Amino acid sequence: MSHQYQAIAWNRQKRVYDIVLVAGVTLYLTLFIGVSAFLFPYATATTLIIRAAGSAAFLLLHIVLCIGPLCRLDPTFLPLLYNRRHLGVVTFLLGAIHSAAAIKQFHSLGDKDPLVSLLTSNQDFGSLPDFPFQQLGFLALIILFLMAATSHDFWLSNLTPPVWKTLHMLVYVAYALLVGHVTLGLLQSETSALLAVGTGVSLLTVITLHVAAARREAKVDSKKLGPVADGFVNACAVSGIPEKCATVVSVNGERVAIFKYDGKISAISNVCRHQNGPLGEGKIIDGCVTCPWHGYQYLPDNGASPPPFTERVSTFQTRIVNARVWIDPTPNPPGTWVEPSPIETSEVMA
Amino acid sequence: MIQPLRKIHRRIFFLLALLLPALFVSGIVFRYSWPTVNQSRNPTAHPQPSGATP
């Protein structure tokens, strides 16, 4: 967590994640280059590197973009989210190798500077089949670089989570540019139906998963809460909250996680201070609400991380009436202690 | 704090969900040659050696 600076807080899960990642990418590149060299014996080494690194980066970006919605739809995929930033950095590195090899092959033999050649050699913006697709890839690479360079928690902390999140939403712009790069580049010169179908299916998969996850999220936000009494709103049934877990409700446009633990109820903001992860989808471990994304922890009664950590989230007043949880929609300042509402035995059974 | 970001995310993605398939289909429809099940004919990918029969 955040009480002192560490370049990388390595743990077993991170090591396993990165070993699998590096092994997977190495295997892909080796197989791609090996099979391509066999099928196309006249292809140059640079051509093989361009294609292997480019296709690996494009595939990896699809995986990166699918992890978020998959985790919203099924918590089984949460372990993939843990080090998703490492996937993003590897995607940038593969894209950089692809670009360097392409610039060497197509732009380094003339009189012009290779970068000037890349940006000016084709300006046929009015034609789809002849569109300057390399410029699209170059712009996408700049975005991926910005994201990779700011992927460390140092930047997350200095830029603040909202700014950092906004910056990293540029991944969708990069994705759009790369779909254009592939469609107007590779798919114009390559006549294999397999490539066109593969690209189309990948695009459809990313869109379908995001739309499905968005529909699921919208359901939570649009769910009507019960009546208001004495400033409190009727949020949910006590029996509907699993032990040491939460029910998430949307109050005044913000989500609140209502936790049940050790015969008590507490409510805190659903938004983790680290990367805005959904605290309500985490569990109470060792007495602390634990974010499912990266394991940041908060005490359920005051929303503060246990010492020496300093993160704090908002808390909410709760009360239990007739086996229903009522919450005050006005959040307390982050870290404010709130008396947990005790659950009577009869209410648990209700 | 999180809701404005969610809204931006939703809007960006619904825009892309419309634009990207349109770009992809346009790119395929307006290409000079249609996709085939044959091997690649891209001359830069595996150029024929001099004297070889295509």
Side-chain angles (χ1 to χ4, degrees):
Chain A
M1 288 167 70
S2 58
H3 69 298
Q4 65 179 42
Y5 177 76
Q6 262 184 298
I8 302 175
W10 286 107
N11 57 33
R12 186 178 174 278
Q13 196 177 352
K14 272 187 190 173
R15 286 195 186 93
V16 170
Y17 196 105
D18 284 1
I19 287 169
V20 171
L21 172 60
V22 171
V25 170
T26 307
L27 185 67
Y28 175 87
L29 294 177
T30 308
L31 281 176
F32 189 101
I33 290 175
V35 171
S36 298
F38 178 74
L39 291 176
F40 311 114
Y42 303 113
T44 65
T46 312
T47 297
L48 295 180
I49 290 170
I50 290 171
R51 295 195 162 205
S55 60
F58 196 51
L59 274 174
L60 210 50
L61 185 60
H62 278 88
I63 294 172
V64 169
L65 289 175
C66 287
I67 287 175
L70 278 173
C71 291
R72 313 300 303 165
L73 296 168
D74 186 347
T76 313
F77 292 97
L78 275 171
L80 291 176
L81 192 77
Y82 182 61
N83 268 7
R84 183 172 52 170
R85 283 181 281 180
H86 294 204
L87 292 180
V89 172
V90 173
T91 302
F92 161 70
L93 291 175
L94 288 165
I97 293 170
H98 167 81
S99 303
I103 287 172
K104 175 179 176 288
Q105 175 138 314
F106 299 114
H107 296 282
S108 66
L109 301 175
D111 296 334
K112 285 184 182 173
D113 179 90
L115 268 183
V116 174
S117 169
L118 168 71
L119 295 172
T120 60
S121 59
N122 179 1
Q123 298 189 17
D124 198 355
F125 291 98
S127 162
L128 273 181
D130 296 323
F131 195 89
F133 68 97
Q134 290 180 327
Q135 280 95 319
L136 300 179
F138 183 68
L139 282 176
L141 187 70
I142 291 173
I143 292 175
L144 291 178
F145 167 73
L146 285 176
M147 292 175 60
T150 58
S151 65
H152 195 277
D153 269 0
F154 171 84
W155 287 104
L156 175 62
S157 172
N158 279 282
L159 294 173
T160 71
V163 174
W164 188 87
K165 275 273 177 190
T166 306
L167 173 69
H168 281 242
M169 272 191 203
L170 286 176
V171 70
Y172 296 112
V173 179
Y175 180 62
L177 290 167
L178 286 176
V179 169
H181 177 71
V182 171
T183 303
L184 304 177
L186 177 73
L187 295 185
Q188 299 302 312
S189 56
E190 274 289 342
T191 51
S192 163
L194 193 66
L195 281 172
V197 171
T199 307
V201 168
S202 307
L203 176 60
L204 203 62
T205 304
V206 170
I207 290 173
T208 306
L209 283 173
H210 275 79
V211 170
R215 284 171 65 92
R216 186 180 178 278
E217 296 290 300
K219 268 186 192 170
V220 176
D221 288 332
S222 62
K223 193 177 175 186
K224 298 278 183 209
L225 294 182
V228 180
D230 200 16
F232 280 64
V233 292
N234 187 344
C236 62
V238 173
S239 58
I241 311 173
E243 178 64 17
K244 296 201 187 296
C245 291
T247 287
V248 177
V249 295
S250 183
V251 181
N252 291 345
E254 290 294 335
R255 292 186 183 178
V256 179
I258 303 171
F259 279 91
K260 180 162 85 177
Y261 59 102
D262 305 333
K264 294 177 286 188
I265 292 286
S266 287
I268 62 173
S269 165
N270 188 51
V271 182
C272 179
R273 294 293 296 169
H274 177 220
Q275 274 193 36
N276 297 342
L279 292 176
E281 293 172 26
K283 292 178 181 174
I284 291 190
I285 299 171
D286 298 330
C288 292
V289 173
T290 305
C291 181
W293 283 10
H294 301 96
Y296 273 53
Q297 292 192 306
Y298 304 88
L299 293 162
D301 53 4
N302 65 7
S305 294
F309 307 111
T310 55
E311 288 77 17
R312 291 178 299 170
V313 295
S314 302
T315 55
F316 294 82
Q317 300 284 344
T318 60
R319 63 172 62 154
I320 299 174
V321 179
N322 295 332
R324 304 275 310 173
V325 180
W326 294 65
I327 62 170
D328 183 344
T330 309
N332 296 308
T336 303
W337 184 81
V338 172
E339 174 85 47
S341 300
I343 304 170
E344 304 298 332
T345 311
S346 58
E347 289 168 333
V348 176
M349 300 302 289
Chain B
M1 178 180 78
I2 193 85
Q3 287 303 334
L5 278 176
R6 267 188 216 285
K7 272 184 193 161
I8 293 170
H9 180 265
R10 227 171 266 169
R11 282 175 190 166
I12 289 175
F13 207 85
F14 278 112
L15 186 68
L16 290 183
L18 295 174
L19 287 181
L20 290 186
L23 170 68
F24 176 73
V25 171
S26 306
I28 297 295
V29 167
F30 290 106
R31 61 195 283 175
Y32 288 131
S33 51
W34 280 78
T36 67
V37 291
N38 296 333
Q39 293 288 335
S40 166
R41 278 182 272 148
N42 179 2
T44 61
H46 44 96
Q48 296 287 338
S50 61
T53 306

